[in-house]
Structures are given as structure tokens and as C-alpha cells.
Amino acid sequence: MKTKKIELYIHIPFCKSKCRYCDFCSFQAENAVIDDYITKLKEELIFWGKKLTKEEVVTVFIGGGTPSYLKEQYIKEICNVIFQYFKVSENAEITIEANPGTVDLKKLCTYRESGINRISFGLQSTIQEELQYLGRIHTYEQFLQCYNWAREAGFCNISVDLMSAIPKQTIHSYEKNLRTIAELSPEHISAYSLIIEEGTPFYEDENLEDLLPSEEDEVRMYQMTAQILKEYGYEQYEISNYAKKDFESRHNLGYWSHIPYLGVGLNASSYMDERRFENPSDMKQYLKITSFDELYSQTRPLSVHEQMEEFMFLGLRMMEGISRERFAQTFGTQIEAVYQEVLLHLTEEGLLEKRAGRIYLTERGQDVSNYALAQFLL
């Protein structure tokens, strides 16, 4: 039987403190809870590793939360279980998320020795006032130290996260962020706009709106990101992601290209055999799980319409767009038979273009991508 490619996501929900904009499943926890969680996480990994014997893991992403908040021994144990029980591709991309202020040289060396070959630093801004308002626990100087340690530990694939349209940010300060990080020459930069999510401290802040950049400035920040980063050798390959040649995030490309993935840990989502299923978001419920197979068996396959929707709004996030031929091969029908009116409408609005058998968001379409992509919901 032919080996299937699969991606593996591991969720570490623990943080030193929660940022003011964060709506992810993350929180502070006592050591005893962390111990119990890692034990259950390894149990889940072993279960799936024994079950998925025909699948080849091509990427691993350890995300959170703040995975680097854990003792390095925990990360080492997780990696050992992955390599022991899964068929991991020889050239697999294995990423860990890290926050400045939570790693040192010893931790980073342990990550490399454990098989991790890519690190993603959550910086967000180089300016202290902006960092403080976001609720970040680190300074830019701490990030710089961690970045240099990562190079010393042998990381040749480093990604840095930056955020735009944050409180008190100006066009000038955002440009400073971009150029400061680009001059460090990480292999990858994720630059995304702040979204105010319900249930976060930012959402409850009545004064926040007065501190946010205007919509016009937010659009300008997005447009200048690609322009400035191109000067430093970065190509935009997705709405919010920029990379040097051959350093695109393979894990994220897998999501957008519909490669099946297994999510392990609290609140982690999976997509396999055209099914989506999700672990509990409550820690007590997760720790009490006795059969991980039940979560999978209780789900229904996605409908053809749901699969079409995902094909469109995930694929159109990428600069290379979607292939009309692949749509026809996947669903047995031409794309116009399903989306004729939407394609016509968005093309007339100047948000979509068709070229060489592919469909793309235009530059203007990228500016209003949330609106454009929503049109493909059936």
C-alpha cells in the first residue's frame, strides 16, 4: 500500500502569562498539571503512532501556548516518542514555537539534539511601548539574545512573527519593525494584522479603538510589508507569510494545500479521511480520555460542498492561487459549475484574476481577503 503523507501538530497550552490579544487555548498551570498533561500527550502520541502505520509524517509543528515555556526535558521526551512511534520523513520539517525570555542556549541546543530543525519566534514588535501594550513579557533585546543563541545552537531555519495595526502603532514604527528584523536575515517572516477577538482583554478595552491605526493605515501597512521585505530578498507566498527562497513553512503550506493532519493535545484539531475532529478544550476532560479512537469514530465526513469551500478559501490564501485542473480532478466538475456567479462578481470587482489555468486574489483582493474568501461559502 502506498504511504500517505500526513502532518503532525502538537499543542502545548501553557504560558508564563497570557497576552492581551490572545484567544488561543493557553493558560498558566502548576507543575503537577503540566506533568499530567505531558503524560497524557505522550499516551495520545503512542496511540496514534501505532494506528497510523501507513502514514509518513512530513512536518511536525509544536505550537501553543508557549512550548518553550516547558522544561527542555519535556520537549525531548515528546520528540523521542514521535521518532519512536511514527514514520518520520528523513527530511521532515520539525518546528517549535518559542517566545523570547523563555529560552536559553541550553534549551535551544536540546531542541536541535532532539531533531527540531526550525524555530518560530513570537516577537510581534521591536518597540518596547508596543510590546508592553500587547502584554508581551519580553524586550527586543531579549529577543535578539535568543535569536543569536538559536544561531549558535545550529538553527539554520528561523521564523519571526511581527504584528501590524496594533495600538499606538504608526506607519513609521511599523516600517522600523520590518526593516530591523529583515536586517537580521531570518529565513522566514510572518507578518499579520491584529484581530480583536471576543473574550480577550483587548475586546473589553473601551479605549482601544482610539489607539488603533486607521483602516487606511492598516491597508498601507499590509501593502508596504511585501514591498519592503522584497528589498531584503523575501517573497510573499501567502497572505501573511514571506520567505527566502526554499524556506516557506512546509507545515503551513500543507494546511493550505489540504494535506491531512493529526492534532495532538488539548483542543487540537485533526483532518484525516475527509473528517474533522477535535480534542476537548477542558483540561480535566482531556486528562480523562480513555479512547482517542472514539473522537475520530464519532465524526462524520465533510460534505462535498464543505470540501469545496475549504479548497477555495485555503488555496486562495496562497500567492500561487488554485489550479482549475486540480479542482476538476478532485471534485469531478468544473469550477464554474459551482462558483460561476462568485467568480464573475469578484473578477468584476477587481479582487480575482485568472491566468494560465489558475485563479488568484489580486493585490486589491488580498487587502480585503476576509471579504473575498467568505464569498466561497456555499
Side-chain angles (χ1 to χ4, degrees), residues 204-245:
E204 308 297 332
D205 189 342
E206 296 178 357
N207 301 316
L208 185 67
E209 194 168 337
D210 295 334
L211 301 174
L212 293 172
S214 66
E215 285 187 22
E216 293 78 9
D217 280 353
E218 183 175 350
V219 170
R220 178 66 189 124
M221 287 176 186
Y222 176 76
Q223 293 171 341
M224 69 191 287
T225 303
Q227 294 165 4
I228 290 173
L229 293 184
K230 193 173 182 66
E231 295 176 25
Y232 293 88
Y234 296 90
E235 287 295 329
Q236 183 179 17
Y237 68 97
E238 190 269 345
I239 287 176
S240 301
N241 286 277
Y242 307 78
K244 293 189 173 181
K245 184 174 170 54

Side-chain angles (χ1 to χ4, degrees), residues 114-132:
S114 301
I116 296 171
N117 52 29
R118 183 175 184 271
I119 189 162
S120 178
F121 282 116
L123 173 60
Q124 317 314 347
S125 175
T126 67
I127 297 166
Q128 191 57 33
E129 183 182 26
E130 294 178 358
L131 289 171
Q132 286 177 330

Side-chain angles (χ1 to χ4, degrees), residues 60-123:
V60 179
F61 196 100
I62 305 172
T66 309
S68 57
Y69 176 63
L70 295 183
K71 298 172 186 173
E72 60 264 34
Q73 183 60 31
Y74 286 135
I75 300 299
K76 184 176 182 179
E77 290 173 12
I78 290 168
C79 290
N80 286 343
V81 169
I82 292 169
F83 282 105
Q84 182 177 349
Y85 288 92
F86 288 85
K87 184 188 293 183
V88 181
S89 172
E90 189 175 331
N91 67 338
E93 174 193 88
I94 304 178
T95 304
I96 188 167
E97 287 186 328
N99 274 348
T102 63
V103 292
D104 54 25
L105 182 56
K106 182 186 174 190
K107 262 189 184 181
L108 292 162
C109 287
T110 300
Y111 295 165
R112 284 295 292 121
E113 292 162 4
S114 301
I116 296 171
N117 52 29
R118 183 175 184 271
I119 189 162
S120 178
F121 282 116
L123 173 60

Side-chain angles (χ1 to χ4, degrees), residues 307-324:
Q307 293 176 46
M308 287 177 174
E309 290 171 349
E310 294 204 0
F311 182 96
M312 296 303 292
F313 61 65
L314 289 175
L316 283 171
R317 290 188 61 89
M318 296 185 288
M319 296 303 103
E320 68 174 18
I322 59 154
S323 163
R324 297 157 61 90

Side-chain angles (χ1 to χ4, degrees), residues 153-323:
F155 280 96
C156 301
N157 193 351
I158 299 178
S159 179
V160 179
D161 290 350
L162 289 175
M163 191 178 285
S164 63
I166 61 181
K168 301 188 177 183
Q169 192 172 61
T170 65
I171 293 284
H172 176 73
S173 70
Y174 182 62
E175 180 175 354
K176 178 179 182 293
N177 286 334
L178 286 173
R179 292 192 182 279
T180 300
I181 296 308
E183 284 170 11
L184 281 179
S185 203
E187 284 68 30
H188 187 279
I189 295 175
S190 293
Y192 50 95
S193 178
L194 171 67
I195 298 174
I196 309 297
E197 301 285 4
E198 191 171 351
T200 63
F202 268 177
Y203 188 83
E204 308 297 332
D205 189 342
E206 296 178 357
N207 301 316
L208 185 67
E209 194 168 337
D210 295 334
L211 301 174
L212 293 172
S214 66
E215 285 187 22
E216 293 78 9
D217 280 353
E218 183 175 350
V219 170
R220 178 66 189 124
M221 287 176 186
Y222 176 76
Q223 293 171 341
M224 69 191 287
T225 303
Q227 294 165 4
I228 290 173
L229 293 184
K230 193 173 182 66
E231 295 176 25
Y232 293 88
Y234 296 90
E235 287 295 329
Q236 183 179 17
Y237 68 97
E238 190 269 345
I239 287 176
S240 301
N241 286 277
Y242 307 78
K244 293 189 173 181
K245 184 174 170 54
D246 298 328
F247 283 99
E248 296 85 355
S249 167
R250 285 160 51 195
H251 187 82
N252 285 343
L253 282 173
Y255 285 150
W256 302 318
S257 304
H258 245 53
I259 292 178
Y261 58 87
L262 171 67
V264 175
L266 193 70
N267 201 43
S269 297
S270 300
Y271 170 71
M272 294 192 296
D273 302 324
E274 304 301 345
R275 295 172 183 260
R276 288 204 181 281
F277 52 100
E278 190 173 278
N279 281 345
S281 59
D282 179 81
M283 180 65 81
K284 288 181 181 178
Q285 286 183 27
Y286 176 73
L287 293 177
K288 287 180 180 177
I289 292 176
T290 55
S291 172
F292 290 102
D293 208 17
E294 274 185 29
L295 297 169
Y296 170 77
S297 60
Q298 291 172 1
T299 60
R300 64 168 179 83
L302 296 178
S303 69
V304 173
H305 275 178
E306 287 171 327
Q307 293 176 46
M308 287 177 174
E309 290 171 349
E310 294 204 0
F311 182 96
M312 296 303 292
F313 61 65
L314 289 175
L316 283 171
R317 290 188 61 89
M318 296 185 288
M319 296 303 103
E320 68 174 18
I322 59 154
S323 163

